[in-house]
């Protein structure tokens, strides 16, 4: 990704509903150039799904928790595949330390979270979990500051 790519993404962040023509004019590039760069970034995985912008609270899932999961080795891949089938698991990270995975989970309330954690134990090779409930999101995921740095850099 170069500085023009970063500027394109910043412009989209500023006005997600802008047309390709309007963005191209604003950035001083040809519309075909803009379109080709967006396609390249999508193909490379730099642009993720639009659904990542949806707040889970708007879907009735206002409670966020982080669940550390320990797996019995060496069957971890099978477990990760099964965790993908639980809709409330919205992120999975492989980690170092005492646990093998860190999951970001959303739930309706603590009772719903209990149901989800029980579902985690039904996943093959899950041997232990530890759950931490988020009291408040002090800073949501942000990429803009990195894009701004990259656009000027």
């Amino acid at each position: 990704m170069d500085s023009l790519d970063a500027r394109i993404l910043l412009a989209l962040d500023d006005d997600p509903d802008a047309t390709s023509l309007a963005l191209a004019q604003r950035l001083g590039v040809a519309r075909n150039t803009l379109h080709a760069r967006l396609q390249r970034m999508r193909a490379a995985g730099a642009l993720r799904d639009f659904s990542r912008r949806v707040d889970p609270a708007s879907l009735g899932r206002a409670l966020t928790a982080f669940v550390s999961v320990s797996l019995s080795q060496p069957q971890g891949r099978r477990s990760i595949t099964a965790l993908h089938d639980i809709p409330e698991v919205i992120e999975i990270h492989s980690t170092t330390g005492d646990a093998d995975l860190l999951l970001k989970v959303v739930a309706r309330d603590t009772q719903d979270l209990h149901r989800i954690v029980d579902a985690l134990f039904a996943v093959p090779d899950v041997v232990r979990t530890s759950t931490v409930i988020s009291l408040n999101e002090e800073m949501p995921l942000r990429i803009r500051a990195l894009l701004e740095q990259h656009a000027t850099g």
Side-chain angles (χ1 to χ4, degrees):
M1 180 178 299
D2 63 16
S3 64
L4 177 57
D5 291 338
R7 289 178 36 233
I8 290 169
L9 295 176
L10 286 167
L12 276 171
D13 199 42
D14 289 340
D15 188 1
D17 296 324
T19 65
S20 295
L21 181 60
L23 287 173
Q25 288 173 341
R26 179 175 163 191
L27 295 166
V29 298
R31 188 174 52 132
N32 288 341
T33 299
L34 175 85
H35 184 70
R37 284 178 173 259
L38 286 171
Q39 282 188 320
R40 181 179 44 78
M41 286 188 278
R42 272 190 206 99
L47 290 178
R48 296 189 176 175
D49 295 336
F50 185 80
S51 63
R52 290 180 58 99
R53 298 183 69 165
V54 176
D55 182 354
S58 70
L59 303 172
R61 306 305 195 283
L63 188 142
T64 299
F66 297 91
V67 183
S68 298
V69 176
S70 296
L71 303 172
S72 63
Q73 306 295 328
Q75 301 297 327
R77 199 80 243 153
R78 176 176 71 170
S79 302
I80 293 170
T81 300
L83 290 169
H84 281 249
D85 293 335
I86 302 172
E88 296 88 355
V89 174
I90 61 171
E91 287 184 38
I92 301 174
H93 299 266
S94 294
T95 59
T96 61
D98 292 335
D100 299 298
L101 302 172
L102 180 64
L103 282 52
K104 184 175 182 180
V105 174
V106 293
R108 296 179 193 284
D109 52 32
T110 55
Q111 194 168 356
D112 191 37
L113 178 61
H114 188 267
R115 175 192 60 80
I116 296 163
V117 171
D118 283 348
L120 296 178
F121 276 113
V123 170
D125 304 312
V126 169
V127 294
R128 185 174 53 254
T129 68
S130 176
T131 303
V132 176
I133 295 174
S134 172
L135 298 176
N136 189 43
E137 184 179 65
E138 298 295 339
M139 184 183 82
L141 173 69
R142 67 170 185 158
I143 303 297
R144 187 173 181 92
L146 293 172
L147 284 171
E148 289 169 345
Q149 184 182 50
H150 201 73
T152 60

